[in-house]
Amino acid sequence: HKSVIQRLNMGLTFFFIDNLAENIYLPAERIGINVFRTRLNNQVVNENFSNPVEALTSKPATNERYPYPIEDYIKYLNNSLTYLDHNYDQQMSVSERDLLSKLIPGHFFYSEDLNQIRYRLPGDTTQEISFNLVSSSLKSLLGIETFVKHHDTFSWLLIDEPEMNLHPTRQAMMANLLYQLAKGNTRVVVSTHSDYFIKALINDILASKVADKEKHIGMTTDVSIYEFTNNSVRQLGDLTDETAFTNFDETTDKINTRYYDLLDQLDEEDAGPADE
């Protein structure tokens, strides 16, 4: 099992490194990204333009750095800030636009004067707040909005935990949105722990299957699902097969069983001993 995981990791690593210009990765750390975006930017600039002789003779740099996925995401945001003022791609479907307006009811924009990403409140173009002050759910959606406004530049969208900090209803919306993007020319890779996300995706695939059983979007040639657990990886096959995906259901069933058992015990205590 370890050799399988190692080969899979190496294959993914080499593939995405060779195609960095076409890929966007939205890491789980994207929620707090703007807190140190400017700081990291200044560090990178100072290091790039520092005296190379001085760097060799001085003590090691003490500037704090971040893991590559975070630095790469910050670089992506810095290079995409002007797109925040753009309208959504005219080629987007009505359903995609509707989902985005519900997920992000307001509007992100970049203030050059403040060197700050800000959020304009919905329904009022005069009130705005700093990105640092918006909810964690909105923070997690900044990368998605930036991506869809110029996603024609990229072939792949990789997103870690798209459900992060979202209400279950919005988790389902996110699954619907990513499914719609995948139906287009965008290849989507998702890592998730959300039962809501998975079930919403299954429903989209089933709806496509009902519409066209022969060429529905969701066949194993279009959607590949892997389960990572206990140091092993397993391909699940067709998500619409009830027996293929049960791990979340098992946990849900256990919780519900215990819940109803405890309610039954309370009812028995309230009823008291049976009358003779």
Side-chain angles (χ1 to χ4, degrees), residues 36-177:
F36 46 82
R37 180 184 67 83
T38 305
R39 175 176 158 199
L40 179 61
N41 233 18
N42 291 337
Q43 290 176 192
V44 172
V45 170
N46 290 336
E47 290 180 9
N48 287 343
F49 290 95
S50 62
N51 187 324
V53 177
E54 181 181 346
L56 290 173
T57 57
S58 62
K59 295 181 179 179
T62 58
N63 285 340
E64 183 179 3
R65 299 305 297 267
Y66 301 95
Y68 174 77
I70 298 178
E71 292 195 4
D72 188 61
Y73 180 58
I74 292 173
K75 179 181 177 181
Y76 161 69
L77 286 182
N78 288 335
N79 292 336
S80 306
L81 291 177
T82 56
Y83 286 93
L84 288 174
D85 286 328
H86 291 192
N87 294 321
Y88 291 129
D89 190 337
Q90 294 299 317
Q91 296 181 354
M92 292 178 63
S93 65
V94 175
S95 60
E96 288 175 323
R97 291 172 181 269
D98 182 57
L99 286 167
L100 281 166
S101 66
K102 291 178 179 177
L103 283 168
I104 309 173
H107 172 62
F108 290 114
F109 70 99
Y110 173 65
S111 170
E112 292 188 8
D113 294 336
L114 299 174
N115 187 24
Q116 187 181 88
I117 300 173
R118 299 183 66 80
Y119 181 73
R120 189 161 289 137
L121 301 176
D124 190 336
T125 58
T126 61
Q127 294 188 354
E128 59 190 49
I129 57 177
S130 167
F131 178 82
N132 295 343
L133 299 178
V134 302
S135 66
S136 54
S137 61
L138 281 173
K139 285 186 175 77
S140 72
L141 295 170
L142 172 64
I144 285 291
E145 181 174 48
T146 307
F147 177 83
V148 297
K149 286 187 174 180
H150 67 135
H151 72 276
D152 55 325
T153 308
F154 308 102
S155 300
W156 289 80
L157 171 63
L158 297 90
I159 178 168
D160 188 12
E161 300 182 32
E163 73 276 5
M164 189 167 52
N165 293 96
L166 298 181
H167 184 276
T169 300
R170 291 179 178 269
Q171 291 184 36
M173 290 180 186
M174 176 63 76
N176 298 151
L177 175 61

Side-chain angles (χ1 to χ4, degrees), residues 3 42 107 113 125 138 165 182 201 207 226 235 244 248 252 261:
S3 62
N42 291 337
H107 172 62
D113 294 336
T125 58
L138 281 173
N165 293 96
L201 176 61
Y226 295 89
Q235 186 170 8
F248 286 127
T252 302
D261 284 345

Side-chain angles (χ1 to χ4, degrees), residues 242-273:
E242 295 182 10
T243 62
F245 193 79
T246 60
N247 65 343
F248 286 127
D249 290 336
E250 291 174 357
T251 302
T252 302
D253 290 342
K254 288 180 180 178
I255 293 173
N256 288 335
T257 298
R258 183 167 184 246
Y259 169 75
Y260 288 115
D261 284 345
L262 292 170
L263 286 181
D264 289 340
Q265 293 178 38
L266 286 175
D267 289 341
E268 291 174 0
E269 291 177 2
D270 292 339

Side-chain angles (χ1 to χ4, degrees), residues 195-211:
D195 186 31
Y196 301 107
F197 183 93
I198 291 293
K199 293 299 174 59
L201 176 61
I202 291 174
N203 285 343
D204 283 333
I205 295 174
L206 282 172
S208 177
K209 196 171 185 178
V210 169

